[in-house]
Amino acid sequence: MGAYGCGKETLSLASIYEISKLLTSSQTLETALRDVINVLSSYLEMRRAMVVLKGADGKMTVLAAAGATLEALRRGEVRPPAKVANGIFSTGMPVVISTVADDPEFDEMPDVLDDEVVAEIGVPIKNATVTVGFLAIDRIWSSDRQVRIDNDVRFLTMVANLIGQTVRLYASNVQDGPAAMPTVVAAGPEKTPRRSASFESIIGNSRRMQEVFAQIEQVAPTRSPVLLRGESGTGKELCASAVHALSPRHDKPFVKLNCAALPETLLESELFGHEKGAFTGATAERKGRFELASGGTLFLDEIGETSPAFQAKLLRVLQEGEFERLGGNKTIKVDVRLITATNRDLEKAVAEGDFRADLYYRINVVPVFLPPLRERKDDIIPLAKWFLGGFNKENGRSLAFSHEALEILRGCAFPGNVRELENCVYRVATMCRGSVIQDVDLACQRRLCPSSSLWTPKKEIVDSPRLPPRTDGGAMITDAEAMDGLPRRDRLIGAMEKAGWVQAKAARLLDMTPRQIGYALRKYNIDVKRF
C-alpha cells in the first residue's frame, strides 16, 4: 500500500492538515506552494514535483518546483512536462506515466538508486469545472514495496483541490491572472494588510493577527465554508462575525450556536427546529438555527464535540441544502453560509473514528488558524489596556497600569489566551486599592496565579539519547551546532528525531533540500518512523 493506504489514514490527514495551514498562513502564493512541495516530499518518496498554472493568455507558469530557487523559476529554467500538461488540459483528468525512464522527455535523475523505478503522476487544479493548472510529482516505486496508484492519485487530488481553492482566493484580488498572483500578500511591514472597520472589535496589531485579517478579507466575499481553528479563547467567534460582516450576506442574519453547550437531542432541535408535539414539552412549532440563518451565516462553535450520528445529519444539510424539522415530514430548503470552529485536533479525531471524514472535508474548505496569545505578544499590552478601560467604565474607576505591570503581563504565557488575560485584568483591577496597578499587585508575582499549573513551557532542545542538550558558558547550543560533531549518519538521525521524522523540517535544520534528505536516508538505510 502507499503511504496513505491501509492503516496510514493518520499520515494522510496529518499531511493535509499541514498543507492547509501553509496555504492559509504563508505570505505569498509562491512561498505557500513551495512549502507544500516540501511537505509532499516528506510524506512521499518523491524526486521532482511542481505546481503549474495557466494564465489568461494560455501560457503555463511553474510557480513552485522541488529543488528550484525562486529566481530559477522566474527565469523560466524549469519546464512543465509536456506529456502530463497535454493530457491534463485536454481531458481534465489525472495523468499517470508509469516509467519516466522510457520517456525521452525526461533526463536521468542522479539521486535515483539502481533498483528504483520513477513514475510521474499529474492531477488537475481546477476553478469550478475549468482546469487552470496541475500538480505533478515524480514518484519512486521501489522493488521491495507495493504502492497503489489509486491511493496516490486520490491523495494528490485532495492537495490539488486545496491549491485550487487558494488560487481562487488570490485571483479575486489580482487582475493579471495566475502569473501575477505571488505578489498579492506582500511580506514585511511596508505593506500591512488593510484593516477593515469589521475588525474594530478585535485587538490585533501584531503581524500574526494582520495575516489573519488578510485571510478573512480574502475569503469573506465568497460562499466557501470556513473552519476557524485555534486554542480556546483565541477569538474564533469574533473572527466568524467579521467574516459575516465582510460578506455579501452582511445584511442577513448571523446566527450562532455552541455545539458543546447542548446534549445531542437538544442540539438537533436547536439546529433543525421541531413541530408541535414532536416530543414532550414541544407545545408549539419552532424554527431551528438553519431556518433562522437562511440567506445569512450560521456559526457552529466547537463542531469537534458533536457525535458521529449528529454529524451524519449535519452532512446531509450541507450537501443537499435541505432538512426536516424534528417530528415533521416537510422538506425545508435553506441557503446558509457555514462557518465552524474547533480547538480539537480534527485529523486525529477522524483517524480514531470520532469525526466523519466526509464532514471534515466538507467544512475544512478554507481553514483559518488563529494564533495563541503567547505567539502574538505585541497584542498583550493593547488588550490589557482595553480590558482595563472596560472595567473602569463598568465600575466608575480610573485605574491605570504601571510600566512594570504591563511588562510582566507581556511576558506571561496565558494558556487561556485572550479570555484568560481578560480575567487576569478584571481580577487585579478588582483587588487593587490604589489608582495604579503595580507589578506586585499581579497574582503571578505572588505565586497565586490560578492557571500557572496549566502551562509548562516547551523546552528549547528536545532531550534525546543521541542529541542531549548542552550548554557552553551558560548559553544554549543550537541543534545544528550540537550535531556538527556527530558522524554523518548519527547527525542525520539526530536531525530527524528533532524534526519528529518530518523530512522537510530536518532538511531546514541541516540546510539541505528534502530531496537530499530522502537520498541520504536511503543511502544509510535509515527507516523513516511513521506516527
Side-chain angles (χ1 to χ4, degrees):
M1 299 293 289
Y4 13 80
C6 180
K8 300 294 185 179
E9 189 73 18
T10 303
L11 185 59
S12 173
L13 289 169
S15 60
I16 290 292
Y17 174 72
E18 290 295 328
I19 288 169
S20 64
K21 282 201 302 184
L22 292 170
L23 290 174
T24 57
S25 61
S26 296
Q27 295 182 12
T28 69
L29 186 59
E30 285 172 323
T31 301
L33 295 177
R34 182 185 61 206
D35 290 344
V36 167
I37 293 296
N38 287 337
V39 170
L40 288 176
S41 71
S42 299
Y43 287 92
L44 304 176
E45 290 189 75
M46 186 186 79
R47 284 303 172 273
R48 291 189 293 198
M50 65 179 63
V51 176
V52 180
L53 295 180
K54 180 183 285 188
D57 57 359
K59 179 182 178 181
M60 288 187 290
T61 302
V62 181
L63 288 188
T69 65
L70 182 59
E71 291 73 19
L73 294 178
R74 289 177 174 173
R75 289 194 299 265
E77 296 179 5
V78 180
R79 294 180 295 107
K83 184 176 291 187
V84 172
N86 292 337
I88 288 178
F89 283 117
S90 62
T91 67
M93 300 292 292
V95 171
V96 177
I97 300 174
S98 58
T99 307
V100 300
D102 298 337
D103 190 335
E105 179 186 334
F106 293 90
D107 299 326
E108 182 180 355
M109 297 183 185
D111 53 354
V112 174
L113 304 181
D114 294 338
D115 64 340
E116 292 178 330
V117 177
V118 181
E120 178 127 13
I121 304 172
V123 294
I125 298 171
K126 295 188 176 182
N127 185 353
T129 60
V130 179
T131 301
V132 296
F134 62 88
L135 165 66
I137 71 166
D138 291 339
R139 181 78 154 89
I140 297 299
W141 302 68
S142 301
S143 59
D144 62 342
R145 295 194 180 187
Q146 295 293 323
V147 181
R148 287 186 56 184
I149 192 65
D150 57 336
N151 289 336
D152 291 348
V153 172
R154 188 181 304 113
F155 174 77
L156 291 173
T157 298
M158 289 190 290
V159 175
N161 288 340
L162 289 174
I163 294 174
Q165 176 66 38
T166 304
V167 168
R168 288 194 292 274
L169 292 176
Y170 276 84
S172 65
N173 289 333
V174 177
Q175 302 296 323
D176 298 327
M181 288 186 214
T183 59
V184 171
V185 183
E190 65 276 5
K191 285 193 178 181
T192 302
R194 178 175 57 88
R195 178 74 179 258
S196 168
S198 301
F199 298 119
E200 289 304 316
S201 60
I202 308 176
I203 305 296
N205 295 320
S206 64
R207 183 171 178 176
R208 292 291 303 277
M209 286 306 295
Q210 291 295 333
E211 291 173 358
V212 170
F213 296 152
Q215 294 165 26
I216 289 175
E217 287 187 320
Q218 278 186 297
V219 71
T222 72
R223 298 174 59 91
S224 300
V226 177
L227 175 60
L228 300 171
R229 309 194 65 164
E231 298 176 7
S232 179
T234 50
K236 295 188 284 293
E237 184 175 328
L238 289 175
C239 288
S241 179
V243 172
H244 173 73
L246 290 168
S247 75
R249 300 168 179 255
H250 62 87
D251 56 346
K252 300 295 183 180
F254 175 63
V255 179
K256 302 175 288 186
L257 180 64
N258 188 320
C259 297
L262 297 171
E264 182 176 341
T265 52
L266 289 181
L267 181 59
E268 186 175 348
S269 174
E270 280 292 322
L271 272 184
F272 306 130
H274 61 255
E275 300 289 349
K276 181 180 179 180
F279 52 85
T280 302
T283 58
E285 174 188 287
R286 182 181 180 185
K287 291 184 177 181
R289 303 294 175 99
F290 266 106
E291 279 187 85
L292 296 174
S294 187
T297 304
L298 177 62
F299 173 54
L300 299 182
D301 200 2
E302 303 295 353
I303 188 68
E305 304 304 320
T306 56
S307 69
F310 175 80
Q311 292 163 20
K313 298 174 182 177
L314 179 59
L315 181 65
R316 185 218 167 182
V317 183
L318 300 183
Q319 289 177 331
E320 308 295 335
E322 60 184 34
F323 63 93
E324 292 83 34
R325 292 181 188 151
L326 211 61
N329 54 19
K330 178 183 176 182
T331 299
I332 300 171
K333 291 187 174 291
V334 290
D335 173 23
V336 172
R337 201 262 182 89
L338 184 70
I339 302 176
T340 53
T342 186
N343 58 13
R344 286 194 65 187
D345 184 343
L346 286 188
E347 290 71 28
K348 181 180 179 182
V350 171
E352 294 176 350
D354 294 331
F355 199 87
R356 293 179 62 103
D358 45 8
L359 180 59
Y360 168 84
Y361 291 117
R362 175 69 62 172
I363 65 175
N364 192 35
V365 176
V366 182
V368 177
F369 296 84
L370 304 185
L373 192 54
R374 61 185 174 275
E375 294 181 8
R376 41 178 290 216
K377 287 186 175 294
D378 289 344
D379 294 331
I380 291 179
I381 291 178
L383 280 166
K385 291 180 177 179
W386 171 269
F387 291 135
L388 185 59
F391 176 88
N392 287 337
K393 184 177 181 179
E394 293 172 8
N395 297 277
R397 302 283 296 274
S398 57
L399 294 174
F401 282 110
S402 70
H403 174 75
E404 292 76 14
L406 288 174
E407 287 303 313
I408 292 295
L409 288 175
R410 192 178 187 279
C412 291
F414 291 114
N417 296 296
V418 177
R419 189 176 296 122
E420 182 188 354
L421 173 59
E422 181 180 12
N423 291 343
C424 176
V425 170
Y426 270 67
R427 183 186 307 114
V428 70
T430 300
M431 302 304 294
C432 181
R433 297 183 178 181
S435 60
V436 177
I437 299 174
Q438 304 292 342
D439 54 346
V440 294
D441 294 324
L442 297 170
C444 60
Q445 296 303 99
R446 293 177 284 123
R447 298 186 178 181
L448 297 175
C449 178
S451 65
S452 59
S453 61
L454 301 177
W455 177 248
T456 302
K458 295 180 180 179
K459 294 182 180 180
E460 290 298 319
I461 292 183
V462 179
D463 294 340
S464 165
R466 295 183 181 274
L467 187 59
R470 302 182 335 201
T471 59
D472 182 12
M476 185 72 74
I477 291 181
T478 66
D479 297 327
E481 291 170 343
M483 287 185 291
D484 278 342
L486 297 177
R488 169 77 183 192
R489 189 176 192 275
D490 287 344
R491 184 177 181 221
L492 181 61
I493 293 175
M496 291 294 291
E497 288 179 344
K498 167 60 183 171
W501 292 88
V502 175
Q503 295 178 42
K505 293 181 180 179
R508 290 193 292 270
L509 188 63
L510 295 174
D511 195 23
M512 299 170 65
T513 66
R515 183 167 52 175
Q516 290 170 328
I517 285 284
Y519 177 69
L521 290 171
R522 293 194 311 282
K523 176 181 178 181
Y524 291 111
N525 196 28
I526 299 173
D527 292 329
V528 177
K529 296 180 182 179
R530 302 293 189 186
F531 300 97

